[in-house]
Amino acid sequence: MDASALEPYVTWGTNPEMAGPINASFPEIKDHNDQLAYEYMDLHPGQYASDIKIEYVFIGSCTNGRLSDLQEAAKILSNKKIKKGVTGVVVPGSRPVRQAAEKIGLDQVFIQAGFEWREPGCSMCLGMNPDKVPEFVHCASTSNRNFAGRQGKNARTHLCSPAMAAAAAINGKFVDIRQMAGGIN
Ligand code: SF4
């Protein structure tokens, strides 16, 4: 499989399967699960990921909180600021990852861009303790599950890559990182 030919993917629904390429419109409703997912996410077929207002961005989880993930996100965020009104949280996947990231200055890249630089843990991957996405807010998240309520009651999760999440934080919406300066080819 030639992964280099894949467009960046973003989820529109309430399981990881409900996803599509960034430049494709959301699919038609094919069953009751799709109907429920669209209702929960307050989206509809024919819309694009770039139409969604992103107000929360979570970069982390055991799945996408490796050093290489943080490096991809930091590459996008270097010398940039996240959009006013967007809350950004970075949670390294482990303590060694956090230490390695700090050693090469990634924490400063995130902090200067406007992100919170947190202790490692599950955090917003499952809406742990106070780390929740507010009700009805759309969150670009590098975690691995987007079930209803996963990041908080009525929170609307869109799974994406660390680079896509970083770009969404800067723009307040999803963009194709391949078209951003400093993006990934
Ligand atoms: S809650 Fe998320 S970050 Fe924590 S172990 Fe499960 S998948 Fe990983």
Side-chain angles (χ1 to χ4, degrees):
M1 182 176 174
D2 180 9
S4 67
L6 280 177
E7 275 188 52
Y9 267 57
V10 173
T11 62
W12 53 265
T14 52
N15 74 46
E17 214 181 328
M18 294 171 165
I22 176 71
N23 296 309
S25 60
F26 298 152
E28 292 303 317
I29 294 169
K30 64 178 185 324
D31 57 29
H32 188 55
N33 286 338
D34 284 357
Q35 178 73 44
L36 290 177
Y38 273 124
E39 283 172 15
Y40 181 83
M41 298 297 284
D42 193 29
L43 297 171
H44 55 78
Q47 280 184 296
Y48 289 83
S50 57
D51 296 334
I52 300 164
K53 184 181 181 185
I54 296 296
E55 294 178 272
Y56 259 65
V57 175
F58 173 63
I59 298 176
S61 88
C62 59
T63 310
N64 281 316
R66 296 160 291 198
L67 183 62
S68 58
D69 298 316
L70 301 184
Q71 285 173 310
E72 293 294 352
K75 199 157 67 176
I76 302 289
L77 291 165
S78 179
N79 297 318
K80 297 203 176 67
K81 292 272 183 204
I82 63 177
K83 194 176 173 80
K84 197 164 177 246
V86 174
T87 300
V89 177
V90 183
V91 178
S94 68
R95 191 158 298 282
V97 167
R98 188 175 196 268
Q99 288 166 345
E102 289 178 352
K103 204 169 172 183
I104 57 174
L106 297 188
D107 56 327
Q108 292 310 311
V109 174
F110 287 115
I111 291 165
Q112 281 167 18
F115 273 84
E116 296 173 32
W117 176 252
R118 297 282 199 79
E119 291 293 326
C122 296
S123 179
M124 218 171 269
C125 177
L126 78 167
M128 184 171 262
N129 302 327
D131 290 355
K132 290 182 175 53
V133 175
E135 273 199 280
F136 310 120
V137 164
H138 292 266
C139 176
S141 179
T142 71
S143 51
N144 46 55
R145 295 291 182 268
N146 52 339
F147 304 139
R150 172 78 175 194
Q151 292 191 297
K153 186 182 172 196
N154 290 319
R156 293 167 174 154
T157 301
H158 300 276
L159 304 180
C160 60
S161 72
M164 284 290 286
I170 294 166
N171 294 283
K173 62 178 188 172
F174 285 111
V175 296
D176 186 340
I177 42 156
R178 297 171 302 176
Q179 289 160 12
M180 273 186 75
I184 297 165
N185 293 314

